[in-house]
Amino acid sequence: MTTITENNIFPLVTDEQKQAEETWRKSIPAQVFLNYFFAINYHIQEYDDEAGGLQHLPYFRAHQAELTDTDVQAITKLLHACWSTEYALRTTAELGDEDYLRNALHWTFPQAYHTIMAGLQGFLYTTGVRSNNPSLVRREVGRLVVKNAYPRPVSFYAAGPYGDFSIHRLPLAGYKAGLHIAAKEIDAQAQIGQFLRTTRRMKAQWTRQQVQANPNTALRSQKTGKLLDKWTASHWQQITWRLGYTTIFDLLGRLQISQTSREIERYVEAEIDFKLFHQSLLNIVSFLNGIHESYIAKAVGLARYQQIVAELPKHLQNSFVAERLRSKVEPLLTGEAPTQMNIAA
């Protein structure tokens, strides 16, 4: 009997498969981040209808302001910052291929955040809040979200102490979020709910660090007088008021990732759909900026707002700014159907 020795033994898992699995594993954080922003965009598209528009909100209908020429100039400056940053974001999204968009995250993340914040500051200016302090801005806009100043697609928020968060205006947020792109509204709400909870958890932990680092605010043991090492539910409840509400604007704050941090590199090196990521961001930006522009136009008067748009720098002439004025702002304030317009390339 002849014994045959098999020398060509192939591994069950090849090096290529191992590399692919490692790439996938490293891509999970970036994929989850993409899922979150895609879910927000999906939810906006799902609920952006006539019934959920600004015109039905009592807060919007009652919105007015007494503004001086100096006030209008300050608001115009904020609008210019908002629109120029959105212009830069749109240019990147339109020009870039997959590799370009991958590396563009270094600047498109902060661009998406700052264009929305500039428009938000312009809106808050008309409500009497005239500050660029990020904490103050977040607190004030949180109150406005809860007061139903924002339409249904972006009116969700989280509240409550650490360990006992509650999600509002997202009835499906309690379902378990998956690792896949949202295909149904239940997927989108589950992922937004998870995003709200993780963001509020981070905010609570950061707030505790700030409170405990200050001798005047730090919580101490009643027995020893030393700083608390272990926190109970009652201790977390004592600092809940400092958290305010966690809204879509806190979620957008997660885009403030330092260009020098290792976290941004995780996204750049990941294997995700970067075009989809940029498109989702751009849609969210356009939706929120349109809301703030509508409030500002109502406060300064439609004719004055039209003048502001007409006098824009050349690169913003006949652009997305004029298109939103035509399709969103003017119909909202006049009750008339949008007029036709040719948008410059």
Side-chain angles (χ1 to χ4, degrees), residues 84-96 100-101 282:
S84 291
T85 309
E86 183 178 346
Y87 175 86
L89 180 66
R90 285 175 174 269
T91 301
T92 298
E94 291 167 1
L95 296 180
Y100 179 75
L101 293 177
L282 197 53

Side-chain angles (χ1 to χ4, degrees), residues 2-271:
T2 303
T3 301
I4 300 176
T5 302
E6 179 60 74
N7 293 320
N8 296 324
I9 300 176
F10 295 97
L12 294 176
V13 180
T14 65
D15 290 340
E16 289 80 3
Q17 288 172 320
K18 287 181 179 179
Q19 181 62 38
E21 184 178 342
E22 179 66 12
T23 300
W24 175 82
R25 186 183 63 79
K26 289 182 177 180
S27 297
I28 289 177
Q31 183 63 53
V32 169
F33 212 52
L34 165 58
N35 291 351
Y36 288 157
F37 285 97
F38 180 86
I40 294 171
N41 180 45
Y42 185 101
H43 185 64
I44 287 173
Q45 303 304 323
E46 191 76 7
Y47 284 93
D48 184 20
D49 55 28
E50 196 67 23
L54 278 175
Q55 69 272 25
H56 299 294
L57 300 181
Y59 188 94
F60 178 78
R61 294 200 299 268
H63 184 62
Q64 56 184 350
E66 294 184 5
L67 302 169
T68 65
D69 287 342
T70 302
D71 293 331
V72 175
Q73 289 174 6
I75 293 170
T76 301
K77 185 176 180 180
L78 289 167
L79 285 173
H80 282 194
C82 167
W83 292 331
S84 291
T85 309
E86 183 178 346
Y87 175 86
L89 180 66
R90 285 175 174 269
T91 301
T92 298
E94 291 167 1
L95 296 180
D97 58 16
E98 189 77 12
D99 287 336
Y100 179 75
L101 293 177
R102 176 193 300 269
N103 290 285
L105 293 181
H106 284 287
W107 61 85
T108 54
F109 273 7
Q111 280 175 347
Y113 172 78
H114 287 297
T115 179
I116 290 173
M117 287 300 111
L120 170 59
Q121 284 180 252
F123 165 37
L124 289 179
Y125 197 105
T126 68
T127 70
V129 178
R130 300 169 184 183
S131 171
N132 60 2
N133 181 285
S135 297
L136 175 62
V137 168
R138 295 269 186 87
R139 186 182 71 212
E140 293 303 318
V141 75
R143 292 174 178 173
L144 289 174
V145 168
V146 174
K147 286 181 179 179
N148 281 308
Y150 285 84
R152 180 172 53 177
V154 290
S155 66
F156 52 80
Y157 66 96
Y162 185 91
D164 191 24
F165 300 148
S166 57
I167 307 297
H168 300 260
R169 300 172 188 161
L170 278 177
L172 305 177
Y175 286 88
K176 184 177 181 180
L179 278 176
H180 54 276
I181 291 289
K184 299 178 181 179
E185 179 62 16
I186 187 174
D187 302 325
Q189 291 197 29
Q191 290 175 357
I192 297 172
Q194 179 174 282
F195 200 11
L196 284 167
R197 283 186 287 269
T198 57
T199 301
R200 189 167 180 82
R201 186 179 302 115
M202 292 170 62
K203 191 175 180 181
Q205 292 169 344
W206 179 85
T207 301
R208 181 177 72 170
Q209 290 177 353
Q210 299 301 306
V211 167
Q212 294 303 91
N214 184 340
N216 296 322
T217 60
L219 301 187
R220 301 176 182 275
S221 168
Q222 293 183 347
K223 293 182 179 180
T224 66
K226 295 181 179 180
L227 295 180
L228 285 174
D229 291 327
K230 297 181 180 180
W231 279 44
T232 65
S234 64
H235 296 136
W236 283 111
Q237 288 174 349
Q238 291 181 52
I239 67 165
T240 299
W241 66 273
R242 297 177 181 270
L243 301 182
Y245 300 102
T246 302
T247 70
I248 187 173
F249 297 97
D250 295 285
L251 305 187
L252 291 163
R254 296 281 296 274
L255 292 170
Q256 285 187 293
I257 299 173
S258 171
Q259 295 183 30
T260 59
S261 74
R262 295 177 60 185
E263 189 169 5
I264 190 67
E265 293 303 326
R266 290 197 305 171
Y267 300 124
V268 172
E269 295 171 2
E271 293 299 327

